[in-house]
Amino acid sequence: MGVFNRFLLFLYTLLFGVVSLGVVLLVFNVIPERVLLNEYQFAVTQWQTGAVAAVVFIISIHLLFCSFAGKGSKELATGDIVLVHGTEGDVNVSINAIKGMIERISGGVRGVREAKVKALLKQDKEKGDCLNLDVKLEVGQERSIANISDDVRTQSSKYLTDIACISNFNVVVSVQSISSGVVVKKRRLK
């Protein structure tokens, strides 16, 4: 259940908590009957009462459908791990490690100035886990964007299948900016 639906459920529960408290007060005759009838007659003549009742009804229907809608897949953030099956046993690989390696591989492609990767593990009981990688690039003008993205996709896929032993993944490459001019890489002194 998402944050918005949890907020609606909070308001809904709070509303019905107040209504149930009002019913308890009515049962114990805390509120006189003439005051209650006066307030009832006033509330029935106001259009806002019907609008509030309609909104509560719509929220009720929405929360009812949310309770029946099961989510078959679960998306996990970058702090999670991917289980890799080896010949001698299973290995846990951090998504941050995979993300960092794909950033380095993408940054090493000729024409790429900067690469940023968002990694998301989508867990599905029926289809298995799927690693979704969104590679955002800043490229130069010395090579075709299509060739750069093909190289990034090819090298990333090769790494994921051959080195990381991950078979179910999706690599999406998008160019965020195109920079002009020649980049001079500074050498580091050791």
mmCIF file of all heavy atoms in Angstrom, residues 84-118:
data_model
loop_
_atom_site.group_PDB
_atom_site.id
_atom_site.type_symbol
_atom_site.label_atom_id
_atom_site.label_comp_id
_atom_site.label_asym_id
_atom_site.label_seq_id
_atom_site.Cartn_x
_atom_site.Cartn_y
_atom_site.Cartn_z
ATOM 1 N N VAL A 84 23.144 -14.616 -6.348
ATOM 2 C CA VAL A 84 23.765 -15.221 -7.523
ATOM 3 C C VAL A 84 24.071 -16.670 -7.179
ATOM 4 O O VAL A 84 24.663 -16.961 -6.144
ATOM 5 C CB VAL A 84 25.050 -14.461 -7.914
ATOM 6 C CG1 VAL A 84 25.723 -15.132 -9.087
ATOM 7 C CG2 VAL A 84 24.728 -13.021 -8.234
ATOM 8 N N HIS A 85 23.663 -17.573 -8.046
ATOM 9 C CA HIS A 85 23.866 -19.000 -7.821
ATOM 10 C C HIS A 85 25.171 -19.444 -8.463
ATOM 11 O O HIS A 85 25.344 -19.357 -9.667
ATOM 12 C CB HIS A 85 22.704 -19.800 -8.413
ATOM 13 C CG HIS A 85 21.372 -19.371 -7.887
ATOM 14 N ND1 HIS A 85 20.967 -19.631 -6.603
ATOM 15 C CD2 HIS A 85 20.373 -18.666 -8.450
ATOM 16 C CE1 HIS A 85 19.758 -19.127 -6.410
ATOM 17 N NE2 HIS A 85 19.383 -18.523 -7.521
ATOM 18 N N GLY A 86 26.103 -19.899 -7.640
ATOM 19 C CA GLY A 86 27.380 -20.421 -8.125
ATOM 20 C C GLY A 86 27.387 -21.935 -8.068
ATOM 21 O O GLY A 86 26.451 -22.575 -7.583
ATOM 22 N N THR A 87 28.453 -22.528 -8.550
ATOM 23 C CA THR A 87 28.532 -23.996 -8.551
ATOM 24 C C THR A 87 28.720 -24.547 -7.144
ATOM 25 O O THR A 87 28.242 -25.629 -6.832
ATOM 26 C CB THR A 87 29.698 -24.470 -9.447
ATOM 27 O OG1 THR A 87 30.898 -23.857 -8.978
ATOM 28 C CG2 THR A 87 29.448 -24.112 -10.891
ATOM 29 N N GLU A 88 29.403 -23.813 -6.278
ATOM 30 C CA GLU A 88 29.649 -24.265 -4.917
ATOM 31 C C GLU A 88 28.641 -23.721 -3.911
ATOM 32 O O GLU A 88 28.693 -24.078 -2.744
ATOM 33 C CB GLU A 88 31.064 -23.862 -4.480
ATOM 34 C CG GLU A 88 32.162 -24.487 -5.314
ATOM 35 C CD GLU A 88 32.228 -25.994 -5.123
ATOM 36 O OE1 GLU A 88 31.983 -26.470 -4.001
ATOM 37 O OE2 GLU A 88 32.499 -26.686 -6.123
ATOM 38 N N GLY A 89 27.763 -22.817 -4.343
ATOM 39 C CA GLY A 89 26.781 -22.241 -3.434
ATOM 40 C C GLY A 89 26.313 -20.882 -3.918
ATOM 41 O O GLY A 89 26.706 -20.416 -4.989
ATOM 42 N N ASP A 90 25.479 -20.262 -3.115
ATOM 43 C CA ASP A 90 24.915 -18.965 -3.472
ATOM 44 C C ASP A 90 25.787 -17.837 -2.935
ATOM 45 O O ASP A 90 26.442 -17.970 -1.898
ATOM 46 C CB ASP A 90 23.504 -18.821 -2.909
ATOM 47 C CG ASP A 90 22.530 -19.803 -3.536
ATOM 48 O OD1 ASP A 90 22.830 -20.285 -4.646
ATOM 49 O OD2 ASP A 90 21.479 -20.058 -2.935
ATOM 50 N N VAL A 91 25.771 -16.709 -3.654
ATOM 51 C CA VAL A 91 26.545 -15.536 -3.276
ATOM 52 C C VAL A 91 25.612 -14.339 -3.260
ATOM 53 O O VAL A 91 24.803 -14.162 -4.172
ATOM 54 C CB VAL A 91 27.689 -15.282 -4.292
ATOM 55 C CG1 VAL A 91 28.461 -14.041 -3.914
ATOM 56 C CG2 VAL A 91 28.600 -16.478 -4.376
ATOM 57 N N ASN A 92 25.711 -13.512 -2.236
ATOM 58 C CA ASN A 92 24.952 -12.265 -2.158
ATOM 59 C C ASN A 92 25.784 -11.140 -2.751
ATOM 60 O O ASN A 92 26.906 -10.906 -2.314
ATOM 61 C CB ASN A 92 24.597 -11.932 -0.712
ATOM 62 C CG ASN A 92 23.657 -12.936 -0.104
ATOM 63 O OD1 ASN A 92 22.821 -13.506 -0.799
ATOM 64 N ND2 ASN A 92 23.789 -13.172 1.179
ATOM 65 N N VAL A 93 25.219 -10.447 -3.735
ATOM 66 C CA VAL A 93 25.903 -9.329 -4.370
ATOM 67 C C VAL A 93 25.070 -8.080 -4.125
ATOM 68 O O VAL A 93 23.877 -8.056 -4.411
ATOM 69 C CB VAL A 93 26.073 -9.565 -5.895
ATOM 70 C CG1 VAL A 93 26.777 -8.385 -6.535
ATOM 71 C CG2 VAL A 93 26.837 -10.842 -6.151
ATOM 72 N N SER A 94 25.701 -7.045 -3.619
ATOM 73 C CA SER A 94 25.006 -5.788 -3.341
ATOM 74 C C SER A 94 24.641 -5.086 -4.643
ATOM 75 O O SER A 94 25.422 -5.071 -5.596
ATOM 76 C CB SER A 94 25.904 -4.889 -2.496
ATOM 77 O OG SER A 94 25.377 -3.593 -2.421
ATOM 78 N N ILE A 95 23.464 -4.499 -4.671
ATOM 79 C CA ILE A 95 23.051 -3.748 -5.855
ATOM 80 C C ILE A 95 23.938 -2.521 -6.016
ATOM 81 O O ILE A 95 24.216 -2.096 -7.139
ATOM 82 C CB ILE A 95 21.564 -3.375 -5.767
ATOM 83 C CG1 ILE A 95 20.719 -4.641 -5.870
ATOM 84 C CG2 ILE A 95 21.174 -2.407 -6.864
ATOM 85 C CD1 ILE A 95 19.248 -4.422 -5.809
ATOM 86 N N ASN A 96 24.421 -1.967 -4.908
ATOM 87 C CA ASN A 96 25.336 -0.830 -4.996
ATOM 88 C C ASN A 96 26.627 -1.211 -5.705
ATOM 89 O O ASN A 96 27.197 -0.406 -6.443
ATOM 90 C CB ASN A 96 25.644 -0.270 -3.604
ATOM 91 C CG ASN A 96 24.501 0.529 -3.039
ATOM 92 O OD1 ASN A 96 23.717 1.107 -3.779
ATOM 93 N ND2 ASN A 96 24.389 0.549 -1.731
ATOM 94 N N ALA A 97 27.096 -2.447 -5.492
ATOM 95 C CA ALA A 97 28.310 -2.900 -6.169
ATOM 96 C C ALA A 97 28.075 -3.009 -7.672
ATOM 97 O O ALA A 97 28.905 -2.586 -8.483
ATOM 98 C CB ALA A 97 28.754 -4.243 -5.603
ATOM 99 N N ILE A 98 26.941 -3.550 -8.051
ATOM 100 C CA ILE A 98 26.610 -3.678 -9.477
ATOM 101 C C ILE A 98 26.435 -2.302 -10.089
ATOM 102 O O ILE A 98 26.920 -2.024 -11.184
ATOM 103 C CB ILE A 98 25.348 -4.540 -9.653
ATOM 104 C CG1 ILE A 98 25.644 -5.973 -9.217
ATOM 105 C CG2 ILE A 98 24.866 -4.504 -11.090
ATOM 106 C CD1 ILE A 98 24.446 -6.863 -9.154
ATOM 107 N N LYS A 99 25.754 -1.426 -9.373
ATOM 108 C CA LYS A 99 25.539 -0.057 -9.858
ATOM 109 C C LYS A 99 26.860 0.657 -10.083
ATOM 110 O O LYS A 99 27.087 1.293 -11.114
ATOM 111 C CB LYS A 99 24.679 0.697 -8.834
ATOM 112 C CG LYS A 99 24.415 2.122 -9.173
ATOM 113 C CD LYS A 99 23.611 2.757 -8.050
ATOM 114 C CE LYS A 99 23.935 4.215 -7.978
ATOM 115 N NZ LYS A 99 23.398 4.884 -6.846
ATOM 116 N N GLY A 100 27.776 0.549 -9.132
ATOM 117 C CA GLY A 100 29.084 1.186 -9.265
ATOM 118 C C GLY A 100 29.878 0.634 -10.437
ATOM 119 O O GLY A 100 30.538 1.384 -11.164
ATOM 120 N N MET A 101 29.809 -0.673 -10.635
ATOM 121 C CA MET A 101 30.549 -1.275 -11.747
ATOM 122 C C MET A 101 29.965 -0.845 -13.094
ATOM 123 O O MET A 101 30.714 -0.557 -14.033
ATOM 124 C CB MET A 101 30.541 -2.795 -11.616
ATOM 125 C CG MET A 101 31.458 -3.437 -12.603
ATOM 126 S SD MET A 101 33.089 -2.682 -12.548
ATOM 127 C CE MET A 101 34.105 -4.053 -12.328
ATOM 128 N N ILE A 102 28.653 -0.763 -13.202
ATOM 129 C CA ILE A 102 28.032 -0.331 -14.454
ATOM 130 C C ILE A 102 28.369 1.136 -14.720
ATOM 131 O O ILE A 102 28.582 1.537 -15.867
ATOM 132 C CB ILE A 102 26.500 -0.553 -14.422
ATOM 133 C CG1 ILE A 102 26.184 -2.041 -14.283
ATOM 134 C CG2 ILE A 102 25.828 0.021 -15.642
ATOM 135 C CD1 ILE A 102 26.647 -2.894 -15.434
ATOM 136 N N GLU A 103 28.472 1.959 -13.665
ATOM 137 C CA GLU A 103 28.888 3.352 -13.842
ATOM 138 C C GLU A 103 30.310 3.429 -14.387
ATOM 139 O O GLU A 103 30.599 4.222 -15.279
ATOM 140 C CB GLU A 103 28.780 4.123 -12.524
ATOM 141 C CG GLU A 103 27.383 4.521 -12.175
ATOM 142 C CD GLU A 103 27.286 5.270 -10.852
ATOM 143 O OE1 GLU A 103 28.310 5.390 -10.130
ATOM 144 O OE2 GLU A 103 26.172 5.713 -10.532
ATOM 145 N N ARG A 104 31.212 2.582 -13.851
ATOM 146 C CA ARG A 104 32.595 2.585 -14.334
ATOM 147 C C ARG A 104 32.679 2.060 -15.764
ATOM 148 O O ARG A 104 33.416 2.606 -16.591
ATOM 149 C CB ARG A 104 33.476 1.763 -13.400
ATOM 150 C CG ARG A 104 33.796 2.481 -12.109
ATOM 151 C CD ARG A 104 34.848 1.756 -11.297
ATOM 152 N NE ARG A 104 34.376 0.517 -10.706
ATOM 153 C CZ ARG A 104 33.651 0.435 -9.592
ATOM 154 N NH1 ARG A 104 33.315 1.535 -8.948
ATOM 155 N NH2 ARG A 104 33.280 -0.728 -9.121
ATOM 156 N N ILE A 105 31.932 1.021 -16.075
ATOM 157 C CA ILE A 105 31.938 0.466 -17.436
ATOM 158 C C ILE A 105 31.394 1.498 -18.415
ATOM 159 O O ILE A 105 31.967 1.725 -19.482
ATOM 160 C CB ILE A 105 31.113 -0.834 -17.493
ATOM 161 C CG1 ILE A 105 31.868 -1.961 -16.797
ATOM 162 C CG2 ILE A 105 30.790 -1.225 -18.925
ATOM 163 C CD1 ILE A 105 31.052 -3.215 -16.605
ATOM 164 N N SER A 106 30.283 2.136 -18.050
ATOM 165 C CA SER A 106 29.680 3.140 -18.936
ATOM 166 C C SER A 106 30.589 4.350 -19.093
ATOM 167 O O SER A 106 30.697 4.914 -20.182
ATOM 168 C CB SER A 106 28.326 3.588 -18.388
ATOM 169 O OG SER A 106 27.455 2.494 -18.282
ATOM 170 N N GLY A 107 31.252 4.755 -18.021
ATOM 171 C CA GLY A 107 32.158 5.893 -18.087
ATOM 172 C C GLY A 107 33.386 5.611 -18.936
ATOM 173 O O GLY A 107 34.014 6.530 -19.467
ATOM 174 N N GLY A 108 33.745 4.334 -19.098
ATOM 175 C CA GLY A 108 34.903 3.965 -19.896
ATOM 176 C C GLY A 108 34.627 3.881 -21.392
ATOM 177 O O GLY A 108 35.553 3.739 -22.186
ATOM 178 N N VAL A 109 33.373 3.978 -21.783
ATOM 179 C CA VAL A 109 33.038 3.925 -23.209
ATOM 180 C C VAL A 109 33.461 5.233 -23.859
ATOM 181 O O VAL A 109 33.238 6.317 -23.315
ATOM 182 C CB VAL A 109 31.519 3.671 -23.391
ATOM 183 C CG1 VAL A 109 31.113 3.813 -24.841
ATOM 184 C CG2 VAL A 109 31.148 2.300 -22.872
ATOM 185 N N ARG A 110 34.062 5.128 -25.035
ATOM 186 C CA ARG A 110 34.539 6.322 -25.738
ATOM 187 C C ARG A 110 33.353 7.201 -26.111
ATOM 188 O O ARG A 110 32.385 6.756 -26.703
ATOM 189 C CB ARG A 110 35.301 5.924 -27.007
ATOM 190 C CG ARG A 110 36.031 7.097 -27.654
ATOM 191 C CD ARG A 110 36.947 6.636 -28.752
ATOM 192 N NE ARG A 110 36.260 5.959 -29.831
ATOM 193 C CZ ARG A 110 35.783 6.565 -30.925
ATOM 194 N NH1 ARG A 110 35.906 7.859 -31.061
ATOM 195 N NH2 ARG A 110 35.180 5.856 -31.859
ATOM 196 N N GLY A 111 33.416 8.459 -25.708
ATOM 197 C CA GLY A 111 32.354 9.416 -25.984
ATOM 198 C C GLY A 111 31.501 9.738 -24.776
ATOM 199 O O GLY A 111 30.745 10.704 -24.778
ATOM 200 N N VAL A 112 31.616 8.955 -23.724
ATOM 201 C CA VAL A 112 30.833 9.193 -22.505
ATOM 202 C C VAL A 112 31.646 10.082 -21.574
ATOM 203 O O VAL A 112 32.783 9.778 -21.238
ATOM 204 C CB VAL A 112 30.468 7.869 -21.802
ATOM 205 C CG1 VAL A 112 29.787 8.137 -20.472
ATOM 206 C CG2 VAL A 112 29.587 7.024 -22.690
ATOM 207 N N ARG A 113 31.068 11.189 -21.185
ATOM 208 C CA ARG A 113 31.740 12.108 -20.261
ATOM 209 C C ARG A 113 31.415 11.748 -18.813
ATOM 210 O O ARG A 113 32.255 11.803 -17.941
ATOM 211 C CB ARG A 113 31.318 13.556 -20.533
ATOM 212 C CG ARG A 113 31.565 14.013 -21.938
ATOM 213 C CD ARG A 113 33.047 14.268 -22.177
ATOM 214 N NE ARG A 113 33.364 14.417 -23.583
ATOM 215 C CZ ARG A 113 33.284 15.528 -24.268
ATOM 216 N NH1 ARG A 113 32.864 16.619 -23.691
ATOM 217 N NH2 ARG A 113 33.617 15.549 -25.537
ATOM 218 N N GLU A 114 30.150 11.400 -18.565
ATOM 219 C CA GLU A 114 29.728 11.059 -17.206
ATOM 220 C C GLU A 114 28.570 10.077 -17.287
ATOM 221 O O GLU A 114 27.725 10.156 -18.179
ATOM 222 C CB GLU A 114 29.288 12.319 -16.458
ATOM 223 C CG GLU A 114 28.939 12.073 -15.016
ATOM 224 C CD GLU A 114 28.513 13.334 -14.276
ATOM 225 O OE1 GLU A 114 28.483 14.420 -14.887
ATOM 226 O OE2 GLU A 114 28.186 13.206 -13.098
ATOM 227 N N ALA A 115 28.544 9.135 -16.360
ATOM 228 C CA ALA A 115 27.479 8.138 -16.320
ATOM 229 C C ALA A 115 26.940 8.035 -14.897
ATOM 230 O O ALA A 115 27.701 7.982 -13.936
ATOM 231 C CB ALA A 115 27.989 6.780 -16.780
ATOM 232 N N LYS A 116 25.627 8.024 -14.794
ATOM 233 C CA LYS A 116 24.955 7.819 -13.513
ATOM 234 C C LYS A 116 23.966 6.682 -13.701
ATOM 235 O O LYS A 116 23.266 6.614 -14.711
ATOM 236 C CB LYS A 116 24.224 9.079 -13.063
ATOM 237 C CG LYS A 116 25.151 10.226 -12.740
ATOM 238 C CD LYS A 116 24.388 11.433 -12.281
ATOM 239 C CE LYS A 116 25.356 12.576 -12.016
ATOM 240 N NZ LYS A 116 24.656 13.806 -11.670
ATOM 241 N N VAL A 117 23.894 5.807 -12.721
ATOM 242 C CA VAL A 117 23.060 4.611 -12.844
ATOM 243 C C VAL A 117 22.097 4.551 -11.674
ATOM 244 O O VAL A 117 22.485 4.765 -10.520
ATOM 245 C CB VAL A 117 23.927 3.324 -12.867
ATOM 246 C CG1 VAL A 117 23.063 2.088 -12.922
ATOM 247 C CG2 VAL A 117 24.887 3.356 -14.039
ATOM 248 N N LYS A 118 20.845 4.266 -11.984
ATOM 249 C CA LYS A 118 19.854 3.947 -10.962
ATOM 250 C C LYS A 118 19.549 2.461 -11.105
ATOM 251 O O LYS A 118 19.226 1.988 -12.197
ATOM 252 C CB LYS A 118 18.578 4.760 -11.157
ATOM 253 C CG LYS A 118 18.691 6.184 -10.734
ATOM 254 C CD LYS A 118 17.349 6.865 -10.756
ATOM 255 C CE LYS A 118 17.471 8.298 -10.286
ATOM 256 N NZ LYS A 118 16.181 8.975 -10.302
#
